[in-house]
Amino acid sequence: MTEPARPLRLAEAAAVLSLATDLSMGQPLEHGLRTAVVAVRTARAMGLSEDDQITVFYTGVLHFAGCTAESEIDARFFGDELVARPQMLGAQFGSRRELMSMAMRTAHADAPPLTRAAMMARSAMGGMAEFRKWAASHCDVARILGQRMGFSEPVQESLRHLYERWDGKGMPGDQRGEQIPLAVRLMQVAQDADVAWRRGGSGLAREVVTSRAGSGLDPSAVTALLDAGNQVYEGLDAPSIWDDAMAAEPGPQPVISEERLDDCLAAVADFADLKSMWTIGHSRGVAGLAEEAAVVAGLPTADVLLVRRAALVHDIGRVAVPVGVWAKPGPLNRDEREQVRLHAYHTERVLDVAPGLRPLARLAGSHGERCDGSGYHRGSQAGDLPLTAWLLAAADCYQAMREPRPYRDALSATAAADELSRDAAAGQLAPEATNAVLVAAGQPRRPMRRPAGLSERECQVLGLLARGLATKQVASRLGISPKTCDHHIQRVYAKAGVSTRAGATLFALEHGLVSPEA
């Protein structure tokens, strides 16, 4: 039985999403958290109310929450959006000339000159209208995700106006000056300060924000930051500021109720799937399928819930991979394959940082593993992971097969079932998990090749034996006589080439045959 998770704070859920946005924006991890800390310290120095400080804090944490919505727009204009975004971020609130100059230097920088010119010409045809669409998409998605995660109306309103500028030259350009929510204006100053501070310390941060006061940035917000002094950067050079950022949350620091947790995780799922048109709805589909498969497999209620929730967030690490890789119509090269393999690692490390999500981290990060050790990111084998992990892996495979990809059409239900069965027969997927997924998907069970020629009944006996049940207990559990059970045990020993219960247990572990519960 899985240990219950610690209560999850709303700040933790938002911060996990913030870490994912850092990956998607090509920023060092915790940029969003540093922005929030600098902004809220400035707000406190200004004497803002607690409610206003809360809005400032969450606007800082979530200011990139809509970034996956425009990933494909960025990829069309710039090529590798993860390379371009950090450079564009540094110029965002500079002069229009500075911004356009950076865009021209960054777009398709690695392409041959003629190819680069043609790509830029095609992208430029949309002009500012394309960038306004980009900003509107980002803000709309950020606001909706904020609403679904349970943030206040002031936070949602701030997320609607993230790309406006003090001088009115922002995007979409509907607001200027004090029309822009104060939380947004403080976030913008804190964002530029953090980017510059990482490059050149407080001196460069002062220089950058001062040069932009009255144009891209609110001059009074800049003054407030500068008046607060270097204390706004205190502790930001630590290896991780996670704990400090969580402590910096103003107000009562609410906990997410059990009823709202799935809504928050579904918001994270949708954020991840928006990365590419080819993956829209994938995480929700995997979650529903994995949950039903866990029921079919007879897992306890706590594990069924765990599988569903891990499935919702299993692909959050995909945002760290460029759009061009996910949209490539042909075979991936070595570097691209490695980027894809690492997305499961990114999923695990982002989730593991929040104590309330830690029980999901290892499971979610195992969705790419294969029973024969050929998967990623650890190269785990059958006995290394519980049935919950193999159910998630099989559900992820089947759901992906049923969806179109740039290199193939979606498979029919029957064709996907055939493909999944072949993967199981080849030793990549666990037979029990595969059949559970097939049944959950409305497909008939398939005969699965068992190791050492074991029968289905012998596998059941071995699975319970490996859990420590005595012969009579195994017989009672399976509804057979002790004599018949002992006959099965002797056949298991003979086929597995062992002579003791300990040897049989090792065989069961190696081949993923241990029963999920004793």
Side-chain angles (χ1 to χ4, degrees), residues 136-207:
S137 295
H138 184 127
C139 294
D140 202 31
V141 167
R143 178 189 61 80
I144 292 170
L145 294 181
Q147 179 188 52
R148 286 168 47 190
M149 293 181 75
F151 291 103
S152 67
E153 288 289 344
V155 172
Q156 294 177 44
E157 181 63 19
S158 292
L159 297 177
R160 287 169 59 94
H161 303 289
L162 296 168
Y163 286 95
E164 299 290 4
R165 288 170 49 115
W166 177 261
D167 57 12
K169 297 179 180 179
M171 293 178 283
D174 297 333
Q175 294 187 338
R176 63 184 303 155
E178 293 185 358
Q179 295 173 329
I180 303 169
L182 178 57
V184 174
R185 289 180 268 145
L186 288 172
M187 174 278 292
Q188 292 171 344
V189 172
Q191 172 190 283
D192 272 13
D194 175 62
V195 171
W197 175 80
R198 289 199 319 271
R199 286 170 39 219
S202 58
L204 182 59
R206 173 183 292 270
E207 177 184 331

Side-chain angles (χ1 to χ4, degrees), residues 131-423:
F131 283 102
R132 288 192 179 94
K133 177 182 176 183
W134 174 93
S137 295
H138 184 127
C139 294
D140 202 31
V141 167
R143 178 189 61 80
I144 292 170
L145 294 181
Q147 179 188 52
R148 286 168 47 190
M149 293 181 75
F151 291 103
S152 67
E153 288 289 344
V155 172
Q156 294 177 44
E157 181 63 19
S158 292
L159 297 177
R160 287 169 59 94
H161 303 289
L162 296 168
Y163 286 95
E164 299 290 4
R165 288 170 49 115
W166 177 261
D167 57 12
K169 297 179 180 179
M171 293 178 283
D174 297 333
Q175 294 187 338
R176 63 184 303 155
E178 293 185 358
Q179 295 173 329
I180 303 169
L182 178 57
V184 174
R185 289 180 268 145
L186 288 172
M187 174 278 292
Q188 292 171 344
V189 172
Q191 172 190 283
D192 272 13
D194 175 62
V195 171
W197 175 80
R198 289 199 319 271
R199 286 170 39 219
S202 58
L204 182 59
R206 173 183 292 270
E207 177 184 331
V208 168
V209 298
T210 300
S211 70
R212 295 173 178 177
S215 54
L217 300 177
D218 175 2
S220 63
V222 169
T223 298
L225 174 80
L226 299 180
D227 287 348
N230 287 343
Q231 67 179 11
V232 297
Y233 306 110
E234 184 178 347
L236 298 191
D237 55 354
S240 171
I241 67 158
W242 176 274
D243 290 339
D244 287 343
M246 294 301 96
E249 180 193 9
Q253 301 185 345
V255 170
I256 298 174
S257 68
E258 186 70 14
E259 293 74 24
R260 284 205 64 87
L261 180 54
D262 278 6
D263 290 336
C264 288
L265 297 181
V268 173
D270 293 343
F271 168 82
D273 289 354
L274 280 173
K275 175 74 178 187
S276 169
M277 62 176 287
W278 301 102
T279 56
I280 300 297
H282 174 74
S283 296
R284 285 177 179 268
V286 174
L289 186 58
E291 178 184 30
E292 183 60 32
V295 172
V296 171
L299 296 190
T301 301
D303 283 348
V304 173
L305 188 61
L306 182 73
V307 169
R308 171 179 167 74
R309 289 175 172 171
L312 280 171
V313 293
H314 79 281
D315 256 353
I316 191 173
R318 75 161 56 247
V319 302
V321 182
V323 165
V325 173
W326 298 119
K328 190 172 182 178
L332 302 181
N333 61 35
R334 174 67 182 271
D335 180 64
E336 292 163 341
R337 288 199 305 273
E338 287 305 308
Q339 291 184 69
V340 169
R341 290 171 64 88
L342 279 172
H343 89 271
Y345 162 74
H346 290 304
T347 287
E348 186 168 331
R349 70 170 181 154
V350 164
L351 295 173
D352 189 65
V353 72
L357 293 177
R358 206 159 282 155
L360 306 182
R362 179 69 182 266
L363 178 54
S366 299
H367 69 271
E369 301 291 359
R370 297 294 179 263
C371 293
D372 59 1
S374 64
Y376 53 82
H377 60 97
R378 286 190 171 86
S380 300
Q381 295 185 337
D384 299 334
L385 297 172
L387 179 58
T388 49
W390 300 121
L391 287 167
L392 176 54
D396 183 43
C397 287
Y398 183 86
Q399 184 66 27
M401 292 172 189
R402 296 285 287 125
E403 299 164 347
R405 291 292 182 261
Y407 49 86
R408 61 156 173 79
D409 294 331
L411 301 186
S412 68
T414 300
D418 290 342
E419 184 69 25
L420 201 72
S421 300
R422 283 193 289 270
D423 288 345

